[in-house]
Amino acid sequence: NAGVTQTPKFQVLKTGQSMTLQCAQDMNHNSMYWYRQDPGMGLRLIYYSASEGTTDKGEVPNGYNVSRLNKREFSLRLESAAPSQTSVYFCASTRDRGNYGYTFGSGTRLTVV
Amino acid sequence: EDQVTQSPEALRLQEGESSSLNCSYTVSGLRGLFWYRQDPGKGPEFLFTLYSAGEEKEKERLKATLTKKESFLHITAPKPEDSATYLCAVETNAGKSTFGDGTTLTVKP
């Protein structure tokens, strides 16, 4: 019963490097989300996918791209990392947006130097 | 603009000392209010969903209530294992979700 699995758990990037954060859920959930969590700023939505085949921008999408590869997988890509993207990234999913709580992954701690 | 404010930022209690955490919100069209628990180094864990004023939900030592402007998370006779950060989030009818910054609860034995 894995729930939401995120990889990697930790990553250090140099400014300008690119990387993809992977997320997979095994609960047959329709909606998936990417959040970042920074001290004093709470959880902020980067991108979300209400259903397979759709993606939409959240509150802080600049510098990121996403791919909903299939119903299970939702990846987040940083094309050219910047120090301002140093954060903890969480992937989440839910069966029915607004009616059920989110199931979160354990997070990816990213440092950009 | 949708806003969610949690208070206090931090709360220290002795084991068995009951208290409440507050989540006040200003949103245009509330679909649901959610409470989560987050332990250090982990993702938030869903606790409750509340939909309308007057609604209450309970789980072990936790009880969540909702009014038109705020929600309370009451903790009765807390234990050290209840120590965590508690997050409140609201989702609007337009499908937008907003999280508060959380209240960090420490329960001393």
Side-chain angles (χ1 to χ4, degrees), chain A residues 33 35 37 40-43 45 48 59 90 97-107 109, chain B residues 31-32 34 36 38 41-46 49 51 87 91 94-101:
Chain A
Y33 308 82
Y35 283 89
Q37 187 173 41
M41 304 192 77
L43 282 158
L45 183 64
Y48 68 97
E59 181 184 355
F90 288 102
R97 188 173 189 188
N99 291 321
Y100 295 89
Y102 295 175
T103 301
F104 283 84
S106 58
R109 186 173 296 274
Chain B
R31 178 185 290 182
F34 302 84
Y36 294 85
Q38 186 174 22
K42 296 189 176 181
E45 176 187 352
F46 170 68
T49 309
Y51 295 105
L87 300 173
E91 181 134 352
K96 182 184 173 186
S97 62
T98 303
F99 279 79
D101 290 344

Side-chain angles (χ1 to χ4, degrees), chain A residues 51-96:
Chain A
S51 61
E52 186 179 357
T54 68
T55 60
D56 286 288
K57 295 178 180 180
E59 181 184 355
V60 288
N62 292 344
Y64 305 95
N65 283 300
V66 291
S67 296
R68 182 76 182 264
L69 304 170
N70 47 55
K71 192 170 186 178
R72 292 185 64 248
E73 298 173 286
F74 189 39
S75 62
L76 178 72
R77 183 160 178 84
L78 285 70
E79 291 291 351
S80 178
S84 60
Q85 295 178 305
T86 293
S87 186
V88 181
Y89 292 85
F90 288 102
C91 178
S93 70
T94 186
R95 180 168 65 179
D96 181 4

Side-chain angles (χ1 to χ4, degrees), chain B residues 55-69:
Chain B
E55 189 174 1
E56 299 181 351
K57 294 272 180 75
E58 286 188 66
K59 181 179 180 179
E60 296 180 356
R61 294 176 292 282
L62 300 177
K63 179 180 176 180
T65 62
L66 181 66
T67 72
K68 288 186 177 180
K69 294 185 177 180

Side-chain angles (χ1 to χ4, degrees), chain B residues 8 24 27 33 35 43-44 48 62-63 65 67 82 85 98 107-108:
Chain B
S24 63
V27 296
L33 185 141
W35 282 98
F48 304 109
L62 300 177
K63 179 180 176 180
T65 62
T67 72
D82 294 322
T85 296
T98 303
V107 182
K108 295 286 192 178

